[in-house]
Amino acid sequence: DKGIRLTPVLPPEMESAAYTLRVDETEFHITVEKGKGFKRPSEHSEYYFDGSCCDGWIPTSKDGKVHEVRVLV
């Protein structure tokens, strides 16, 4: 199990979105940011898990902690 794969798409009028995902006792605070207009995730998108760059797969270890996830589309 690689975890959760993030492929966010925001409408043109939104430049960011934030939400929380809970897996058992573990929380993931997810922030998605993009420039103006419509953009899909691409090879230029950046993914961060607890401040470290990652490949877009978010590990879902059930460690009971709060994790920060940031996606730049």
Side-chain angles (χ1 to χ4, degrees):
D1 181 22
K2 290 182 82 170
I4 298 170
R5 176 74 171 158
L6 297 179
T7 55
V9 177
L10 298 179
E13 63 275 7
M14 290 181 69
E15 292 184 18
S16 67
Y19 52 97
T20 299
L21 172 67
R22 181 183 290 268
V23 178
D24 291 330
E25 297 300 315
T26 303
E27 281 191 12
F28 300 88
H29 294 174
I30 301 168
T31 304
V32 179
E33 302 171 28
K34 70 170 186 67
K36 293 183 185 281
F38 180 80
K39 290 186 182 177
R40 291 187 183 277
S42 71
E43 67 274 2
H44 304 292
S45 297
E46 299 175 32
Y47 298 85
Y48 298 91
F49 178 75
D50 288 340
S52 296
C53 191
C54 68
D55 63 0
W57 284 97
I58 306 306
T60 55
S61 59
K62 298 175 185 175
D63 58 11
K65 296 180 180 178
V66 176
H67 297 282
E68 298 296 326
V69 178
R70 186 172 177 217
V71 181
L72 305 175
V73 178

